[in-house]
Amino acid sequence: MPYHCTKLEEEAGRVTPRASNLPLQLPVAIQPVVSSRIVQGSILLAVLAAVDAAFSGDWSRIGAISKDTELWLQSALGLLGIWHLLMGASAYSIAEQNGRPKLLVTIKALAVGTIPVLELMLDIQTALD
């Protein structure tokens, strides 16, 4: 079991185990899915395709989607963008509270959404077990 300690505890030689600051415990069985670069890459590719469909105008011009679908996609992507910002902030906060590198997980959460946050939480959870 890894030991988490404050700087003062470390300097004083008093290192005691303590629980993580995770908001919830996740089933370890989902680890292969959330850690998969293929899954994360597929999500990013789908988001980029939706952005292209919603904002380029090409898809509705050639008849692949209707103008109404294009407008709906624009609204949906606005909400998705807000969700990704919340996930980026969550990833940064969880990484900071648990002494993990913040930059990479925050960027991944901004791009992909929920999956990198779950990956970070599972990584911390398995390190404590």
Side-chain angles (χ1 to χ4, degrees):
M1 174 177 192
Y3 294 96
H4 298 278
C5 58
T6 65
K7 187 79 170 160
L8 290 175
E9 288 174 329
E10 187 177 345
E11 289 172 357
R14 292 177 298 177
V15 180
T16 55
R18 65 180 169 107
S20 159
N21 295 320
L22 292 177
L24 61 106
Q25 296 293 313
L26 299 168
V28 179
I30 67 170
Q31 181 133 20
V33 175
V34 299
S35 297
S36 169
R37 300 296 175 244
I38 293 172
V39 171
Q40 293 181 15
S42 299
I43 292 170
L44 180 59
L45 188 62
V47 169
L48 292 174
V51 167
D52 182 49
F55 295 103
S56 71
D58 295 340
W59 293 42
S60 62
R61 190 171 45 252
I62 64 170
I65 61 173
S66 68
K67 259 312 198 193
D68 290 337
T69 303
E70 188 175 283
L71 293 173
W72 181 86
L73 274 173
Q74 290 174 0
S75 298
L77 286 170
L79 294 174
L80 185 67
I82 292 169
W83 180 254
H84 282 228
L85 288 173
L86 290 172
M87 289 297 99
S90 297
Y92 182 89
S93 176
I94 292 169
E96 185 175 48
Q97 289 175 2
N98 289 283
R100 302 292 174 147
K102 300 176 282 287
L103 183 62
L104 179 62
V105 73
T106 302
I107 291 170
K108 284 173 60 176
L110 289 171
V112 179
T114 307
I115 298 286
V117 176
L118 294 175
E119 181 182 24
L120 172 66
M121 291 172 62
L122 279 169
D123 182 46
I124 293 166
Q125 181 177 314
T126 54
L128 292 175
D129 291 341

